[in-house]
Amino acid sequence: MTTTIEAPTQTNDFQVRTDPAGKPLAIRHDGRIWLVDPDTESQHWFGRDAWWDTRRTAAVGSGDLVSIEFWRVQVRTDSSSALRTVMLRREPLSTQWLLDSISDCHEATEN
């Protein structure tokens, strides 16, 4: 598999639609709707914010201030379009998703 990284742009036209459990189903970006391919496996994990570098302070009971949520999903605009990999990120206590990257996916073919 070969990937080509695109530098994503943050626009007001970026939205993520999720199922009730929080799994991304579709992404609106750059005037297009990208559907998460149900035949591929999405990856979900949490990272940690470097709170010691940001020097954020919060009152007791403010919630989780260090967990960053990540999703890596395969998307396409329709059933015949090429798959693309999208990396999504949500900062602690945020309700808005951020677009980390978009890359093209090219599956290797056997000769």
Side-chain angles (χ1 to χ4, degrees):
M1 178 171 79
T2 304
T3 59
T4 304
I5 301 296
E6 271 183 32
T9 56
Q10 294 297 327
T11 66
N12 292 333
D13 189 26
F14 179 72
Q15 299 169 333
V16 178
R17 184 182 333 143
T18 62
D19 69 9
K23 180 180 178 181
L25 299 173
I27 297 162
R28 178 187 297 271
H29 171 63
D30 201 24
R32 292 185 175 167
I33 295 178
W34 300 85
L35 301 175
V36 174
D37 187 354
D39 297 330
T40 62
E41 187 175 327
S42 298
Q43 296 175 334
H44 182 226
W45 70 94
F46 288 87
R48 294 287 185 213
D49 185 27
W51 57 268
W52 52 90
D53 289 336
T54 61
R55 296 190 168 118
R56 282 191 284 202
T57 59
V60 173
S62 295
D64 183 352
L65 299 176
V66 297
S67 294
I68 301 171
E69 184 175 11
F70 292 93
W71 279 94
R72 180 179 296 135
V73 295
Q74 303 288 309
V75 298
R76 58 176 82 221
T77 55
D78 59 52
S79 61
S80 63
S81 68
L83 279 174
R84 300 187 85 187
T85 300
V86 173
M87 177 82 82
L88 303 170
R89 171 175 46 101
R90 187 164 38 192
E91 297 293 326
L93 302 180
S94 177
T95 58
Q96 238 179 357
W97 287 97
L98 300 172
L99 178 62
D100 263 3
S101 66
I102 299 174
S103 60
D104 291 333
C105 298
H106 304 284
E107 295 182 1
T109 57
E110 293 182 25
N111 293 327

